[in-house]
Amino acid sequence: MQSNTAIEVIRADRVLTVVRAPEIPDPVALAEALSGAGIRAVELTFTTPGVLDALAAASAVSDAVVGAGTVLTGEQAERAIGSGARFLVTPGLRPAVAEMAARHDIPVVMGAFTPSEVMAALDLGAVAVKIFPARALGPGYLKDLRGPFPDAALIPSGGVNAGNAAEFLAHGAVAVTAGTDVVAPGDVAAGRWSEIASRARSFVSSMK
């Protein structure tokens, strides 16, 4: 697993999950539950208390590729990379994060919504562009973006669930982001790993 880059894993699985929770009591168990169910790319966000410790612990899971999300500053990027993050995700255009990622040869997925923002993200070196919030315009918007950006790796986020993931992929997404549909904050905080694994398997099945 460690020989594969984060973007290779995301492209292969066609999904990554973003974890937002009041706490992560056992990051290793969380990463194992998700990766065992077919979602190997796991994004732990800076909105979660103790995220750096969680990153350090979860990054030891050999079958998972763990990254940091909601990265807003170069300092956060550096600290996340130092804690073992193998990819970074931003909610918008963050040049300082892109610079730090490039310095450490770590892939960054940069948030964007409009065509101009997509171009800016690609110019900053993003390996993929997170289209957020995807629920605003739905799967058809991905198809529209494929016109001017046929080679861009687009990943819709926000409002993607088991009911529409396949449609987003059919309309040109290279992968989708699974959020609370898989990792409900309450399930994470309570350590309901079997429930999370079950939801992850259902989500992966829905993509086919």
Side-chain angles (χ1 to χ4, degrees):
M1 168 60 63
Q2 295 298 320
S3 63
N4 292 341
T5 67
I7 191 62
E8 286 173 339
V9 170
I10 291 169
R11 282 181 175 275
D13 290 355
R14 306 197 77 188
V15 60
L16 70 155
T17 191
V18 55
V19 181
R20 297 185 189 279
E23 63 174 314
I24 303 176
D26 190 340
V28 171
L30 172 64
E32 288 176 340
L34 290 165
S35 62
I39 304 179
R40 293 179 292 170
V42 180
E43 173 191 337
L44 305 182
T45 68
F46 266 93
T47 57
T48 300
V51 67
L52 294 176
D53 290 339
L55 276 168
S59 63
V61 178
S62 61
D63 288 336
V65 174
V66 182
T70 319
V71 184
L72 303 179
T73 68
E75 179 187 6
Q76 285 182 331
E78 187 168 37
R79 292 167 66 197
I81 293 167
S83 296
R86 290 182 57 196
F87 64 95
L88 305 176
V89 183
T90 71
L93 302 173
R94 308 303 290 174
V97 174
E99 180 182 348
M100 188 61 65
R103 185 181 305 175
H104 292 275
D105 196 26
I106 295 291
V108 60
V109 178
M110 197 153 285
F113 188 70
T114 68
S116 292
E117 291 169 349
V118 171
M119 286 189 290
L122 295 172
D123 287 344
L124 286 169
V127 297
V129 182
K130 181 178 74 170
I131 304 302
F132 176 84
R135 67 164 52 86
L137 294 178
Y141 187 52
L142 268 290
K143 183 177 181 179
D144 292 338
L145 287 175
R146 297 304 299 176
F149 307 113
D151 300 320
L154 305 178
I155 303 176
S157 179
V160 181
N161 53 53
N164 61 22
E167 190 175 2
F168 274 109
L169 292 168
H171 281 71
V174 70
V176 293
T177 296
T180 56
D181 201 46
V182 169
V183 282
D187 286 343
V188 175
R192 291 191 279 265
W193 313 126
S194 60
E195 174 66 19
I196 288 171
S198 176
R199 287 177 175 269
R201 284 191 293 270
S202 294
F203 191 98
V204 170
S205 295
S206 78
M207 293 163 41
K208 299 175 182 176

